[in-house]
Amino acid sequence: MFPAVCGALTACRLVPTSSLQRDGDLQIVCEGNCSNCELSTTKAQENFPVTSVTNSSGQIQQFSPADSDGNTSVLGVTSGKQPYFTFSESSPLEAVIISTTHVTPTWKNDATASDYTHGVKSGTENGQISLSNQTSGVSTDSTPEIVSGTSGNATTKPSQTFGLRVAFVNVTQVVLTWENDNIIATYWMLLEDVGSQELVNITDLKPRCQYEVTPYFSESNETQRNALVTENGLDASNADSRSQPPRILTPQCKYPPESADQSSDPSLTQVQLLGLKSDTLYKATVYPQAEDGTEGQPQSTEFKIKSIRVFDLQVVNISATSLTLTWKISDNESSSVYSYKIQVAGRTDSFNLTVSETHAVITALSSSTLYNITVWPLLSDGSEGTPGFLQVYTHPSPVFDFRVTNVSTREVGLAWSSNDSNSFEISATRNGTGKPQVETTTNQSIVIGGLDPGTKYRFDIVPEGPNGTKGESRTVYSRTDSSAVFDIRVVSVSTTGMQLEWRNTDNASDYVYRVIIKSEHGSNWTNSSYEGITLRDLIPGTFYNITIFPVVDHVQGISSSTAQYTRPSDVFNIKISTNTTAATLRWQNSDEASSRYTYRLLINQDGNSGNTTQIVTGLGITSATVTELTPGSSYTVEIFTQVGDVTESLAPGWQSFCTDPAPVASFHCEVVPKKPTLVLKWNCPVGTNTGFKVKVSSGDWKNLTSLESCSSENSSEYRTEVTYLNFSTVYNISIFALSCNKTTLPAQNTCLTGITDPPSPDGSPNITSISHNSVKVKFSEFEASHGPIKAYALILTTGKDIWPSEDVLRYTYEDFKKGASDTYVTYLITTEEKRRSQGLSGALKYEVNVGNESTTHGYYNGKLEPLGSYRASVAGFTNITFNPHGDGLIDGAESYVSFSRYSDAVFLPQDPGVICGAVFGCIFGALVIVAVGGFIFWRKKRKDAKNNDVSFSQIK
């Protein structure tokens, strides 16, 4: 009995093998997608008819008798189950590789066959030979257990790649999967671009792994195939028949079978091909390989990468300035994964936009314009798919200012405006219903005739554009006239008469018109043969109601009425009183109806026609006050008499007046440095002025100056200078504003003029006492006519200059001692701390001891040099400024200062101590010389005495 196991399908066949050229050979062949068949047997008989087939549960399976070729088919085999075949006789078994899909166990019928027992892998097993779970690439060793038996080795080739399918495909990638065989070590894939015949070889694909591969096909079609390929991809010489060798790629297993990240079925091998070209046909062939390199039967599949294409591009809504586009995308996936570039090209301009949906609203278009619209699908890498394209005209803009220009009994005139249409369709519908009367014109006006009198019509106008486009409609309503009097006009009206004109809806000339005139004083009537009449002898300011009937052949038509006041009389005796911003007006009127009159006042500012004020009084009031006027401005007032708030007197009463000018509110004074001048500044008064007068006085001195006008419209500040004044003097100033020969009250202020350098004194300082290292300097006050004297600085010099300069104020005693300058400031006196000499005449006010080693501000009053020659000068200050460095020195450039001339030179005597020392030294030196000389003389004499025995008495 031979058990056989099939895979996914339902049949195994028992086939006698003729290819081995031996009697009694048998093979079990899987049909369809059968993965393997299992074989086992008991002691075989000498012939091989199948006597029974049972499944693993012992149930009998249906099988067909052997056909002419000796094939027996078993039907209804359950996938994964073992059917058992029973034969009549068997012979010793030999295992031989027949093909990649079946194993042929063969044996011979001999006398000793019944003594053999065959085993597979595990030897003898219950007296059956079992080729159990045979998979591609596995060698099965069948060994008889008896010594005389023979053994056979069966090596199966790798089975065919099966289950190859396209699991996923989109516009740039595809996922291929296939089922795995347990004895297959690796696979390799040959990927072909069918159009360009370019090849890529993807090698070393492990079973149950997941791969990501980018083949990188070239963009050209240069790679061609020159020979046909055999079924397994090799020609007779076992060489690749393609002229160009394929590019070889060896990817890494991204997710091994044991990986936790593996997302697909672990029993499948998966290859994801990336970066493929859309709308391209590819062929993939997968070859199985055993560990020894033996290849099995390949399996191929073809697939085409989806093309991204925009289609069914259409306009679903369009107007004069916008349109709405919709389209479809050829990819079956959600269209929202793409973005879309839209190019809109008009007659003179174009623009692009990008959207993420399959619809878009395009705005800011020009009406009646042809637009070329192209929509590209965009991939995530920025590449573009096949665009969709359409041409569309925008609609013309609707007409504007659609109006009825005239109406008659039979016609209605229409007019409109349009910027972009040359043809218009107008429909007239009676009472808004019924069949319309349609007219077409290229003008922007039309007269619709053939209408019924006294009927309401609806008129619709539609602009027509290129390519049959039409814009939005506009509507206006009108009613034709009845045959009646209409358009009564008051051509002219006066205080005692009026002239009327009118029209008739019927153009016939044989009408007589009856005119009825009514007022509070009574009524009367008159006839006219024309469409007009002049009424006389009326009362001023009276209301008249006038009705006109058309009459023809004593038949009275539809009347029309009008009402009109006769004009009131003019006002007189106008009187006006004013202030700066208001005017009060009074007047008179003598009409009988004046108690019902109102008065309209127009107040116009002269030279400014746009500045008009209107006031309307109450009934019978003959006075008014006008406010918010501009100060100092000229005005003209016109007073119109009104009756019925409509009719006015023919000519107004009028009069001119001027408001009072606004005074200068205040002003302030500014001094000009080192000039006897005052700068006066004030804000220009509100309103208008013709100029100013400035009165300046001090004591008995007075001056009156006239100035030009200024305007407050630009918020400007008026500025003027009053010159030729005295320094440091108080002045009383008054400013008057002028306008319309009117003078305002003055603005007053008291101002003090500025200061400048004090006048230089005529004389020079006086040195009154002398010592060997100090002097006393006396000087008089400077004249204070240029401003009060704030300080004095005493300057010493050993130089020859006659006058000091401002530069000497920065030199100190230390600078003098270092030789940096021969001139320096030795003492500084402020007038608040001045030291007046006691008992001096009025001409000498100040006395300074030079050399007393005192310090004033930054100046040191050091001792003078004996035997030195010094001269003195005094600087007087009306404004003294010190350096910002904080050293206490005077900034001469910023101070107001003048100098006296240098005094005559003074020579200091020698230091008395030096003189005494010199005298003492001389005396002492003389004594020393005498002593030395005497000693020398004494020694010599003594020596001579010894030599000559001379006594001292001889010396005497």
Side-chain angles (χ1 to χ4, degrees):
M1 188 185 318
F2 295 90
V5 178
C6 280
L9 298 183
T10 59
C12 289
R13 286 193 304 158
L14 214 61
V15 182
T17 303
S18 59
S19 61
L20 298 179
Q21 302 297 325
R22 60 179 68 190
D23 296 332
D25 288 353
L26 182 69
Q27 65 179 3
I28 298 176
V29 180
C30 287
E31 289 187 336
N33 192 18
C34 184
S35 63
N36 59 74
C37 288
E38 295 179 346
L39 174 65
S40 65
T41 180
T42 59
K43 294 181 179 180
Q45 306 300 321
E46 59 181 6
N47 51 26
F48 311 111
V50 178
T51 59
S52 67
V53 181
T54 60
N55 58 23
S56 58
S57 301
Q59 296 175 341
I60 297 175
Q61 298 286 104
Q62 181 181 358
F63 65 94
S64 62
D67 56 18
S68 60
D69 296 326
N71 297 333
T72 299
S73 297
V74 181
L75 305 178
V77 179
T78 303
S79 175
K81 301 299 182 179
Q82 294 185 349
Y84 290 87
F85 298 84
T86 303
F87 301 89
S88 60
E89 293 182 358
S90 63
S91 63
L93 179 67
E94 294 181 359
V96 182
I97 293 178
I98 300 302
S99 69
T100 61
T101 58
H102 58 268
V103 175
T104 303
T106 63
W107 55 87
K108 292 183 179 180
N109 187 17
D110 53 32
T112 60
S114 59
D115 297 329
Y116 292 159
T117 302
H118 299 276
V120 179
K121 287 187 178 179
S122 59
T124 303
E125 189 174 345
N126 296 327
Q128 298 179 344
I129 296 176
S130 176
L131 300 179
S132 178
N133 293 326
Q134 295 299 302
T135 57
S136 299
V138 178
S139 175
T140 302
D141 187 7
S142 176
T143 305
E145 293 183 353
I146 63 175
V147 175
S148 61
T150 61
S151 64
N153 293 327
T155 302
T156 58
K157 295 175 62 177
S159 65
Q160 173 183 351
T161 300
F162 59 92
L164 176 62
R165 67 185 186 92
V166 178
F168 170 78
V169 64
N170 68 2
V171 296
T172 59
Q173 59 180 294
V174 68
V175 176
L176 301 176
T177 63
W178 61 87
E179 299 180 13
N180 299 299
D181 196 325
N182 292 333
I183 67 171
I184 294 178
T186 61
Y187 296 91
W188 66 275
M189 177 187 294
L190 186 65
L191 181 64
E192 177 184 3
D193 182 336
V194 177
S196 66
Q197 296 187 338
E198 186 176 358
L199 303 175
V200 173
N201 188 349
I202 305 171
T203 65
D204 198 23
L205 302 176
K206 304 297 183 183
R208 294 182 298 280
C209 273
Q210 295 184 26
Y211 294 89
E212 287 187 1
V213 183
T214 303
Y216 297 109
F217 284 101
S218 64
E219 295 297 329
S220 66
N221 294 328
E222 295 178 358
T223 304
Q224 301 291 334
R225 299 180 62 182
N226 297 326
L228 296 176
V229 181
T230 60
E231 181 180 5
N232 62 354
L234 300 175
D235 57 16
S237 62
N238 203 30
D240 195 331
S241 62
R242 296 176 177 83
S243 61
Q244 297 291 335
R247 184 182 297 107
I248 299 176
L249 301 176
T250 305
Q252 297 295 322
C253 180
K254 184 175 182 181
Y255 298 114
E258 65 276 5
S259 173
D261 295 329
Q262 191 177 47
S263 58
S264 64
D265 186 350
S267 67
L268 301 178
T269 302
Q270 174 180 304
V271 176
Q272 183 178 9
L273 301 175
L274 306 174
L276 302 180
K277 294 179 287 186
S278 64
D279 202 20
T280 302
L281 180 64
Y282 292 91
K283 180 178 180 181
T285 306
V286 179
Y287 295 82
Q289 283 185 325
E291 290 184 356
D292 61 357
T294 305
E295 289 188 354
Q297 186 71 19
Q299 185 175 5
S300 299
T301 184
E302 289 188 351
F303 55 88
K304 188 173 184 180
I305 297 301
K306 297 180 180 179
S307 172
I308 314 172
R309 180 172 60 88
V310 169
F311 68 97
D312 197 18
L313 178 62
Q314 57 183 316
V315 177
V316 297
N317 188 19
I318 188 168
S319 67
T321 58
S322 66
L323 58 86
T324 301
L325 290 175
T326 63
W327 60 88
K328 296 179 181 178
I329 186 74
S330 59
D331 189 4
N332 291 331
E333 294 189 14
S334 172
S335 60
S336 62
V337 301
Y338 303 103
S339 59
Y340 305 90
K341 182 179 77 173
I342 304 174
Q343 183 185 71
V344 182
R347 183 171 57 245
T348 59
D349 60 343
S350 66
F351 59 91
N352 296 335
L353 67 153
T354 302
V355 298
S356 58
E357 302 291 341
T358 56
H359 58 83
V361 177
I362 302 175
T363 59
L365 303 178
S366 300
S367 58
S368 294
T369 301
L370 176 64
Y371 283 93
N372 297 318
I373 301 176
T374 308
V375 180
W376 286 272
L378 300 178
L379 302 180
S380 59
D381 61 358
S383 59
E384 299 177 350
T386 303
F389 174 81
L390 64 78
Q391 289 183 321
V392 63
Y393 277 95
T394 52
H395 289 177
S397 300
V399 303
F400 59 94
D401 194 22
F402 186 33
R403 61 196 182 277
V404 176
T405 57
N406 59 77
V407 178
S408 67
T409 57
R410 296 286 180 175
E411 295 178 338
V412 172
L414 303 173
W416 57 90
S417 297
S418 176
N419 294 328
D420 56 3
S421 297
N422 297 320
S423 179
F424 307 91
E425 180 183 276
I426 301 96
S427 60
T429 307
R430 180 173 180 171
N431 293 320
T433 60
K435 183 178 180 180
Q437 175 182 338
V438 180
E439 303 283 348
T440 301
T441 181
T442 57
N443 299 319
Q444 294 192 8
S445 63
I446 193 172
V447 176
I448 307 296
L451 305 179
D452 296 331
T455 303
K456 182 179 179 181
Y457 283 87
R458 169 178 170 167
F459 299 95
D460 296 291
I461 183 169
V462 176
E464 297 178 334
N467 202 33
T469 58
K470 294 185 177 182
E472 297 180 16
S473 65
R474 291 291 183 264
T475 302
V476 70
Y477 293 87
S478 184
R479 180 185 294 274
T480 54
D481 294 331
S482 300
S483 180
V485 169
F486 72 99
D487 193 22
I488 300 176
R489 301 182 304 278
V490 177
V491 178
S492 64
V493 62
S494 65
T495 56
T496 59
M498 67 179 70
Q499 181 183 356
L500 303 176
E501 291 181 356
W502 59 87
R503 291 195 292 167
N504 191 342
T505 57
D506 192 347
N507 292 327
S509 60
D510 54 348
Y511 278 91
V512 173
Y513 299 94
R514 177 169 296 175
V515 181
I516 301 175
I517 306 156
K518 293 183 179 180
S519 72
E520 61 179 329
H521 303 289
S523 66
N524 63 348
W525 60 272
T526 184
N527 290 334
S528 174
S529 300
Y530 305 98
E531 295 177 350
I533 194 171
T534 299
L535 304 178
R536 296 180 176 86
D537 299 326
L538 303 179
I539 300 172
T542 301
F543 182 75
Y544 289 91
N545 198 331
I546 302 166
T547 303
I548 304 174
F549 294 88
V551 179
V552 60
D553 295 334
H554 304 289
V555 176
Q556 188 169 280
I558 300 174
S559 66
S560 182
S561 299
T562 188
Q564 179 65 49
Y565 278 95
T566 52
R567 293 189 183 277
S569 301
D570 301 339
V571 300
F572 61 95
N573 196 23
I574 300 173
K575 296 185 180 298
I576 303 172
S577 60
T578 63
N579 59 24
T580 56
T581 60
T584 300
L585 303 96
R586 292 178 175 81
W587 60 90
Q588 292 179 337
N589 189 294
S590 58
D591 285 349
E592 180 184 348
S594 62
S595 61
R596 297 194 298 269
Y597 290 169
T598 60
Y599 299 90
R600 184 170 65 94
L601 284 69
L602 291 179
I603 300 93
N604 297 295
Q605 185 176 4
D606 294 351
N608 187 1
S609 60
N611 187 9
T612 300
T613 302
Q614 176 174 288
I615 296 177
V616 177
T617 69
L619 291 175
I621 297 175
T622 57
S623 64
T625 298
V626 185
T627 60
E628 298 182 0
L629 301 180
T630 303
S633 298
S634 297
Y635 289 89
T636 299
V637 60
E638 295 178 311
I639 304 176
F640 295 86
T641 307
Q642 286 185 331
V643 60
D645 295 331
V646 175
T647 306
E648 294 183 336
S649 56
L650 279 173
W654 68 275
Q655 189 166 324
S656 296
F657 66 94
C658 186
T659 55
D660 299 340
V664 174
S666 64
F667 66 93
H668 64 277
C669 308
E670 294 180 1
V671 298
V672 179
K674 295 189 176 183
K675 288 186 179 180
T677 301
L678 287 174
V679 176
L680 307 181
K681 293 183 180 180
W682 64 89
N683 292 326
C684 291
V686 177
T688 305
N689 58 79
T690 57
F692 302 91
K693 286 185 178 181
V694 179
K695 181 181 178 181
V696 182
S697 63
S698 178
D700 295 334
W701 180 85
K702 296 180 181 180
N703 181 58
L704 186 63
T705 303
S706 296
L707 302 176
E708 294 180 352
S709 63
C710 72
S711 174
S712 62
E713 292 181 357
N714 55 2
S715 300
S716 62
E717 184 180 62
Y718 198 94
R719 182 182 184 278
T720 188
E721 292 186 0
V722 182
T723 59
Y724 303 108
L725 303 176
N726 294 325
F727 284 108
S728 190
T729 303
V730 175
Y731 290 91
N732 295 318
I733 301 176
S734 301
I735 301 177
F736 304 84
L738 308 175
S739 183
C740 298
N741 298 320
K742 298 179 180 180
T743 303
T744 66
L745 295 175
Q748 295 179 331
N749 201 351
T750 299
C751 303
L752 176 65
T753 53
I755 61 175
T756 187
D757 300 336
S760 298
D762 295 333
S764 58
N766 183 25
I767 299 177
T768 59
S769 62
I770 300 173
S771 70
H772 68 280
N773 59 7
S774 65
V775 296
K776 285 187 178 181
V777 179
K778 299 178 181 179
F779 59 92
S780 299
E781 289 182 331
F782 282 34
E783 183 182 347
S785 61
H786 291 178
I789 305 301
K790 300 295 184 180
Y792 296 98
L794 182 59
I795 302 168
L796 291 184
T797 184
T798 60
K800 303 301 183 181
D801 293 337
I802 299 175
W803 293 88
S805 66
E806 294 177 354
D807 187 58
V808 304
L809 298 175
R810 65 189 180 93
Y811 292 110
T812 64
Y813 180 79
E814 289 76 8
D815 298 326
F816 174 77
K817 294 293 285 183
K818 293 176 182 178
S821 174
D822 59 2
T823 304
Y824 68 97
V825 177
T826 186
Y827 201 80
L828 182 64
I829 304 172
T830 57
T831 55
E832 292 80 3
E833 301 170 356
K834 66 183 180 179
R835 298 166 54 207
R836 292 180 176 269
S837 301
Q838 300 295 327
L840 297 177
S841 63
L844 299 177
K845 300 292 185 181
Y846 294 92
E847 180 181 283
V848 178
N849 291 325
V850 179
N852 63 3
E853 297 184 323
S854 62
T855 300
T856 53
H857 292 272
Y859 299 100
Y860 176 63
N861 187 9
K863 291 183 178 296
L864 306 181
E865 295 289 340
L867 301 179
S869 175
Y870 292 92
R871 293 187 300 154
S873 175
V874 177
F877 298 87
T878 54
N879 175 46
I880 185 168
T881 302
F882 294 95
N883 287 331
H885 308 300
D887 54 7
L889 302 184
I890 301 170
D891 186 347
E894 297 296 327
S895 300
Y896 295 175
V897 60
S898 62
F899 301 89
S900 69
R901 290 178 298 177
Y902 282 114
S903 66
D904 295 333
V906 175
F907 297 92
L908 299 184
Q910 180 58 276
D911 187 350
V914 173
I915 296 174
C916 292
V919 173
F920 177 77
C922 291
I923 296 172
F924 181 76
L927 292 175
V928 170
I929 293 172
V930 171
V932 172
F935 178 74
I936 293 172
F937 180 77
W938 176 75
R939 290 283 302 220
K940 184 175 180 182
K941 287 296 185 178
R942 183 178 180 186
K943 183 177 181 182
D944 289 340
K946 287 182 179 182
N947 294 333
N948 300 321
D949 294 329
V950 179
S951 61
F952 278 102
S953 60
Q954 292 177 338
I955 296 174
K956 299 179 181 179

